[in-house]
Amino acid sequence: MFSLLFCFSLAAIRRETVAEVVVFINKISQILFSIGETIIKLAPIGASSAMTFTIGKYGVTSLVPLASLMTAFISLVCCLFLWHWESSPDLQVLVSSNLSFILRN
C-alpha cells in the first residue's frame, strides 16, 4: 500500500523533485546491493566456521542429522522435479532443447 501511495504522490510532484528522488533511490539500491554482495561473499566463511566449531565441540557424529536432512531435502526436490517432469511435456521440451544447446557448444 505504501508503494502505491508513494508512486501516486510522486506522479503529482514536479519533475525536478521526482528526478532527485529517483537518483536517491538508485544510490540507496546500489548501497543495499553492495551490502548483499558482501554478505554473500562472507557467508561461506561463516558456514565453515560454524561447522568447524560444531565438529570441534561435539565431534563428527554431530553432522549425521545434518547429512540426513540434506539427503531428505535433495530426495524431495528430485522426486518433485521428476513428478513435474512426467506431467509437463513443455518442461521436457525446454530441458532437452537447452541440454542439446549446451552439449553442442
Side-chain angles (χ1 to χ4, degrees):
M1 190 62 162
F2 175 77
S3 299
L4 290 173
L5 292 173
F6 188 79
C7 289
F8 289 141
S9 299
L10 255 147
I13 301 176
R14 296 187 325 247
R15 288 184 186 254
E16 298 85 25
T17 308
V18 172
E20 292 172 5
V21 171
V22 169
V23 169
F24 174 74
I25 291 173
N26 283 335
K27 288 180 182 179
I28 292 294
S29 68
Q30 287 175 353
I31 292 169
L32 292 176
F33 276 111
S34 176
I35 291 170
E37 180 183 2
T38 304
I39 289 171
I40 289 171
K41 285 181 180 177
L42 294 177
I45 297 170
S48 299
S49 300
M51 217 156 57
T52 303
F53 170 78
T54 303
I55 292 171
K57 185 164 185 172
Y58 303 109
V60 178
T61 57
S62 64
L63 295 180
V64 172
L66 176 63
S68 64
L69 176 68
M70 289 174 55
T71 303
F73 178 75
I74 291 170
S75 300
L76 175 68
V77 168
C78 288
C79 289
L80 289 175
F81 179 78
L82 290 175
W83 173 70
H84 187 68
W85 177 272
E86 290 296 321
S87 64
S88 174
D90 295 335
L91 181 65
Q92 294 174 4
V93 171
L94 177 68
V95 171
S96 62
S97 65
N98 285 339
L99 187 60
S100 64
F101 176 76
I102 291 169
L103 292 176
R104 276 185 290 172
N105 294 329

